[in-house]
Amino acid sequence: MSPGIPFQVDSRSPTPIYDQIVTLVTFAVAAGRLARGEALPSVRQLAVSLRVNPNTVARAYRELERDGIVETRQGSGTFVAGGDRRLSAAGRRKALAPSVDRLCAEASALGISPDDLADLVREAAGKLSSGDRA
Amino acid sequence: MSPGIPFQVDSRSPTPIYDQIVTLVTFAVAAGRLARGEALPSVRQLAVSLRVNPNTVARAYRELERDGIVETRQGSGTFVAGGDRRLSAAGRRKALAPSVDRLCAEASALGISPDDLADLVREAAGKLSSGDRA
Amino acid sequence: MSPGIPFQVDSRSPTPIYDQIVTLVTFAVAAGRLARGEALPSVRQLAVSLRVNPNTVARAYRELERDGIVETRQGSGTFVAGGDRRLSAAGRRKALAPSVDRLCAEASALGISPDDLADLVREAAGKLSSGDRA
Amino acid sequence: MSPGIPFQVDSRSPTPIYDQIVTLVTFAVAAGRLARGEALPSVRQLAVSLRVNPNTVARAYRELERDGIVETRQGSGTFVAGGDRRLSAAGRRKALAPSVDRLCAEASALGISPDDLADLVREAAGKLSSGDRA
DNA sequence: GTGGTCTAGACCACC
DNA sequence: GTGGTCTAGACCACG
């Protein structure tokens, strides 16, 4: 997972941290950036790297397992599960829609035009994808 | 306020509803879309329109009052407060930054490119601003 | 907190209950009777002890947090915040002045002399401080 | 009434203004400072003198009438009612007890000793009774 | 166990 | 009509 997902988490967000982790992993699998059978970082590793309580990571992994996204093999670690969870380009756009809508509502309230907002987003996303972090 | 804010709220969002209302009103004032002295919808009205409990709206208004964004006059209603709370264009962009970052992280995990994301956003924002409703 | 505040609340008072709680805690901190870092009773505990709805206590704690008087740690409890909020003797007398004035106005209307009033007050306060209870 | 009651009202108090007026008049009658048959100031007069909405004074008079404390005679004014509502010294002290208790609780939370509190009160009451106001 | 949010509905104060 | 407080009780997140 290290060389893939810009894995960062916002502890001040109202979205629970474990939920942010679930979303990011789910999305990474949907995008094929985490391949079938690939190992996820250990609970402790990821907890350290995200500066988060290990319980929180453990809970995220538990939910991912419940969703069939990952599998835990006792004593060996957590791995991306077997079934194909990749989404088409359209499916991935659809998965992102609620977040997009929420941002647009805020931008609209702030009086930021669609074009200006698109520019802001392109710029921020560009910065992210150059300087990734696991 | 009628012709101002595209006032909609997502009850499934992890962000508390009262917080969404606070954000939207704060942003609308920052953008100058709610003018000084202008009346906000009554607690009950807005509750009906958002399909939310009046207490939830009341809490949002209470917090907005503590923040000095609005003033309430007993028996008369809630109004945008006196001091100028408008923000410059740069200030408004900055206010939006955390939400933009969050979206970009999700898009990155989904493997959506900055350009594609920007297009998605422009499109969604465009739709919103054409068909408004308070 | 157990051996600290004579914590009682008057539900018939026009002063909202949550406000009475805020005042009492704020005063106790100002007096140094609640020390920095000390735990407050849990919301549910205090609610039972005051025979009040938990929501009412929660609201008081929320306001105290916004005022920087206490800090809440999720899943752990509510604690007196770090900054020093203690007041000098003069400051504490000043904080009490409005309540004193109000009582004096009532006593005056009742035709009770300043000396008699002082005696009444000394006596009532003495009883309170002997038989405390949180 | 002019030369009797230190008639002042605190608009920031959570106690409704009309209620403060009711209390003060009731107490003045209990003390014998307003005699049977004596005229109260007109609604408008008192409203001006207290800088308060006439409706508020009118409501106070209405409640006083309901309580049998005063009588309204159409076209002539409001007067202290017939029955003897004066209280003994003990009765007057008892009427004041709730207010005394409330103050003592606050003082206790502030860590002010009964003796110090009594001094504060004597001083404030003394000032009040020298410089009265209608 | 902790605090946090939300709903439903009652009652009060003010204009 | 307006906002404000309170209760009762459900459900969630976090440790």
Side-chain angles (χ1 to χ4, degrees):
Chain A
M1 181 176 229
S2 3
I5 308 173
F7 228 18
Q8 54 185 18
V9 125
D10 179 4
S11 64
R12 293 163 318 180
S13 162
T15 303
I17 294 171
Y18 79 85
D19 214 329
Q20 298 181 40
I21 298 174
V22 167
T23 297
L24 291 178
V25 172
T26 305
F27 281 6
V29 171
R33 296 183 73 152
L34 280 176
R36 212 180 301 189
E38 190 172 340
L40 268 63
S42 79
V43 166
R44 288 181 189 179
Q45 257 182 336
L46 189 53
V48 168
S49 134
L50 297 179
R51 304 179 173 204
V52 142
N53 190 305
N55 284 329
T56 305
V57 177
R59 169 154 189 194
Y61 280 12
R62 219 183 309 134
E63 306 240 325
L64 285 162
E65 175 150 41
R66 217 181 39 107
D67 292 347
I69 312 279
V70 306
E71 285 171 6
T72 302
R73 303 186 201 135
Q74 278 298 353
S76 96
T78 304
F79 302 84
V80 177
D84 192 345
R85 299 246 160 209
R86 279 179 300 169
L87 290 175
S88 64
R92 286 181 270 140
R93 279 198 292 273
K94 198 172 165 193
L96 201 59
S99 300
V100 169
D101 289 346
R102 178 73 197 288
L103 177 66
C104 291
E106 292 187 0
S108 165
L110 267 176
I112 292 176
S113 77
D115 283 350
D116 286 355
L117 178 60
D119 288 345
L120 270 175
V121 162
R122 191 196 336 268
E123 200 180 321
K127 273 185 198 156
L128 229 197
S129 57
S130 40
D132 269 6
R133 271 285 295 111
Chain B
M1 178 173 230
S2 3
I5 308 174
F7 235 158
Q8 56 185 21
V9 124
D10 177 5
S11 65
R12 292 162 321 179
S13 162
T15 302
I17 295 173
Y18 77 85
D19 217 328
Q20 297 181 40
I21 299 173
V22 168
T23 298
L24 288 177
V25 172
T26 304
F27 281 7
V29 171
R33 294 183 74 152
L34 281 176
R36 209 179 303 190
E38 190 171 340
L40 269 63
S42 81
V43 167
R44 290 158 168 87
Q45 259 183 343
L46 189 52
V48 168
S49 132
L50 298 180
R51 296 167 172 229
V52 141
N53 189 289
N55 281 326
T56 303
V57 176
R59 175 164 181 190
Y61 280 13
R62 207 187 309 139
E63 308 236 322
L64 285 163
E65 173 149 48
R66 281 205 83 164
D67 290 345
I69 310 281
V70 307
E71 281 170 2
T72 87
R73 301 180 206 142
Q74 261 292 19
S76 145
T78 305
F79 303 83
V80 178
D84 194 342
R85 299 240 156 214
R86 276 178 303 169
L87 289 176
S88 66
R92 286 182 271 140
R93 279 197 293 271
K94 199 173 165 191
L96 201 60
S99 300
V100 168
D101 290 346
R102 180 70 196 286
L103 177 67
C104 291
E106 292 186 358
S108 165
L110 269 176
I112 293 175
S113 77
D115 283 350
D116 286 355
L117 178 60
D119 288 345
L120 270 175
V121 161
R122 189 195 339 267
E123 200 180 323
K127 273 184 199 156
L128 228 196
S129 58
S130 43
D132 270 6
R133 260 321 292 136
Chain C
M1 180 174 229
S2 2
I5 308 174
F7 235 158
Q8 57 185 20
V9 122
D10 178 5
S11 65
R12 291 163 322 181
S13 162
T15 303
I17 296 172
Y18 77 84
D19 217 328
Q20 296 180 42
I21 299 173
V22 166
T23 298
L24 289 178
V25 172
T26 304
F27 281 7
V29 171
R33 295 183 74 152
L34 280 176
R36 211 179 302 191
E38 191 170 341
L40 270 63
S42 80
V43 167
R44 290 159 169 87
Q45 260 183 342
L46 190 52
V48 167
S49 134
L50 297 179
R51 298 167 171 229
V52 142
N53 188 289
N55 282 327
T56 304
V57 177
R59 174 165 184 189
Y61 280 13
R62 205 186 312 140
E63 308 235 322
L64 285 164
E65 174 149 47
R66 281 205 85 164
D67 290 345
I69 310 280
V70 307
E71 282 169 3
T72 89
R73 302 179 206 140
Q74 261 293 18
S76 146
T78 305
F79 303 83
V80 177
D84 194 343
R85 300 240 158 213
R86 278 179 302 170
L87 290 176
S88 66
R92 285 181 271 140
R93 280 197 292 273
K94 199 173 165 192
L96 202 61
S99 300
V100 169
D101 290 347
R102 179 70 196 286
L103 177 67
C104 291
E106 293 185 359
S108 165
L110 268 175
I112 292 175
S113 78
D115 283 349
D116 287 354
L117 178 60
D119 288 344
L120 269 176
V121 161
R122 189 194 341 267
E123 199 179 323
K127 273 184 199 158
L128 226 196
S129 59
S130 43
D132 269 6
R133 260 321 294 135
Chain D
M1 178 173 229
S2 2
I5 309 172
F7 230 16
Q8 56 186 17
V9 127
D10 179 4
S11 64
R12 291 163 321 179
S13 162
T15 303
I17 293 171
Y18 78 85
D19 213 329
Q20 298 181 42
I21 297 173
V22 167
T23 298
L24 291 178
V25 172
T26 305
F27 281 6
V29 171
R33 296 182 73 153
L34 281 175
R36 210 179 304 188
E38 189 172 340
L40 270 61
S42 78
V43 166
R44 288 180 189 182
Q45 257 183 336
L46 190 51
V48 168
S49 133
L50 297 178
R51 302 177 175 209
V52 141
N53 190 305
N55 283 328
T56 304
V57 176
R59 170 156 187 194
Y61 279 13
R62 219 182 309 133
E63 306 241 325
L64 285 163
E65 176 149 41
R66 215 181 39 106
D67 292 346
I69 311 281
V70 306
E71 285 172 4
T72 301
R73 303 184 202 137
Q74 279 299 355
S76 97
T78 304
F79 302 84
V80 177
D84 193 344
R85 300 245 157 209
R86 278 179 301 169
L87 290 175
S88 66
R92 285 182 272 138
R93 280 199 291 273
K94 199 173 164 193
L96 201 59
S99 300
V100 169
D101 290 345
R102 177 72 197 286
L103 177 67
C104 291
E106 291 187 358
S108 165
L110 267 176
I112 292 175
S113 77
D115 284 350
D116 286 355
L117 178 61
D119 288 346
L120 270 175
V121 162
R122 189 194 339 268
E123 200 180 320
K127 273 185 197 155
L128 229 197
S129 59
S130 42
D132 268 6
R133 275 280 295 106

